[in-house]
Amino acid sequence: MPARVDLLVFEWAPRLPGGGSGLGVVESTLPAAQRQVWAERLERRVSVPSGGAGPSTCYLRYGDQAALLHRFPVRDVHNRWASSTQVLVGPPSVITMRRAVALRPDLVPQRFDQPADGYPRSWADASDPAGDLDRAARLHRGTATVMVAELGRARPHGWAVRAGDIDPRALLWAVAACLGDMEFSTRETEVTDPDLPTVVFVDGPPARSSVGTARHWVDLGAATDLPGRDLASAADLVETHTARRGGTGPRTRDAGAAPTAFSLHLLMLAAWWAAVAVLLTVLSGR
């Protein structure tokens, strides 16, 4: 049976459906009671990060539910910068980290007004194909290796990562393949909130929280001090999970689909060579 996936839309409004004004839920496929629960859960994550930040994506887990946020800056009725954020809510078996990473921050998914059966087609259409993300991860495999090695260590307060000019999604794609699902945000401008996702990408200097604890700071543009054995293990993982496979396979927009090891083209080619080998064996025996 297909899993139910719901949508919430957060925008600034002078009059919200639930009363009041400001940034809140303006559309949702959820029942009213669940809508309020999710509105309270997400209220600190739905705004586009301050400081002129561009569009971003954010992946969160709440027990047996996952939330994928697409945060996009827009102008409000007073021509001020505001947020238009769409949120998918559903089981993590459907809203996976791979699908969250594949979603393009610069493309706004088409909204829907009824619960979806499984991952919405419109969100898959606003995503990069798995093959493109594989290539991006391979292009930055050295940096991805450091990232995987860092995230393989125990850090109780999570990580704040500065990736420079590298698209965070290329690194997160390798992380998802090597280490499994984890919460992330592709863009934040501060790291003091302890309820931020496990991994956040930032541009500024490291910051400490108000209670004296700190996320582990990772500057991927600087030399790493990780042990050589950790880097070697991470390199093996990255090479194994991002290695180029034979053929190109179908260019599906749904990056959550399980990758296939061999394309149909290669299977047909292998069958052809097997037939040739059999024919040569028969002829040589005459």
Side-chain angles (χ1 to χ4, degrees):
M1 181 178 179
R4 171 172 171 154
V5 174
D6 285 282
L7 175 70
L8 298 99
V9 179
F10 291 79
E11 289 181 343
W12 187 93
R15 182 174 299 174
L16 294 168
S21 62
L23 181 62
V25 179
V26 295
E27 297 178 30
S28 177
T29 61
L30 285 166
Q34 294 184 42
R35 183 183 312 160
Q36 183 60 31
V37 170
W38 280 102
E40 293 175 359
R41 283 176 174 172
L42 298 169
E43 62 181 352
R44 296 169 67 180
R45 299 279 77 83
V46 293
S47 295
V48 171
S50 60
S56 60
T57 52
C58 183
Y59 181 62
L60 303 168
R61 295 283 290 270
Y62 298 92
D64 61 352
Q65 294 286 288
L68 170 52
L69 288 68
H70 184 279
R71 304 180 296 195
F72 202 85
V74 295
R75 295 283 188 178
D76 65 15
V77 293
H78 303 294
N79 203 35
R80 299 172 301 194
W81 282 113
S83 303
S84 178
T85 298
Q86 295 190 53
V87 185
L88 283 190
V89 174
S93 59
V94 175
I95 305 177
T96 63
M97 182 182 177
R98 282 172 59 91
R99 284 183 167 130
V101 173
L103 182 65
R104 290 181 54 170
D106 61 323
L107 294 181
V108 179
Q110 184 177 347
R111 300 178 185 181
F112 52 94
D113 57 9
Q114 296 292 329
D117 291 331
Y119 197 69
R121 184 75 253 169
S122 60
W123 284 61
D125 289 341
S127 302
D128 280 326
D132 290 357
L133 292 161
D134 281 338
R135 283 187 287 275
R138 287 196 300 270
L139 179 64
H140 300 291
R141 67 164 58 90
T143 307
T145 293
V146 176
M147 183 84 173
V148 169
E150 285 282 7
L151 269 59
R153 300 168 71 86
R155 305 291 186 187
H157 304 291
W159 294 263
V161 182
R162 181 162 54 192
D165 295 332
I166 300 175
D167 183 350
R169 298 185 308 134
L171 305 177
L172 289 167
W173 187 255
V175 168
C178 297
L179 303 178
D181 287 9
M182 60 178 64
E183 295 183 329
F184 70 82
S185 172
T186 58
R187 188 189 296 262
E188 297 292 339
T189 53
E190 60 86 22
V191 295
T192 60
D193 187 346
D195 293 327
L196 281 166
T198 307
V199 182
V200 298
F201 285 82
V202 295
D203 295 326
R208 293 190 173 275
S209 74
S210 59
V211 297
T213 58
R215 287 177 172 265
H216 184 68
W217 181 257
V218 181
D219 186 348
L220 294 173
T224 180
D225 59 356
L226 289 171
R229 64 180 181 277
D230 291 0
L231 292 171
S233 297
D236 287 343
L237 283 173
V238 171
E239 182 64 28
T240 298
H241 291 287
T242 65
R244 186 186 302 275
R245 295 176 174 84
T248 58
R251 281 181 57 84
T252 173
R253 280 283 175 186
D254 188 357
T260 56
F262 299 97
S263 67
L264 179 59
H265 173 74
L266 281 185
L267 289 176
M268 292 175 64
L269 186 61
W272 185 83
W273 277 111
V276 170
V278 170
L279 180 60
L280 291 175
T281 300
V282 172
L283 293 175
S284 64
R286 291 183 174 180

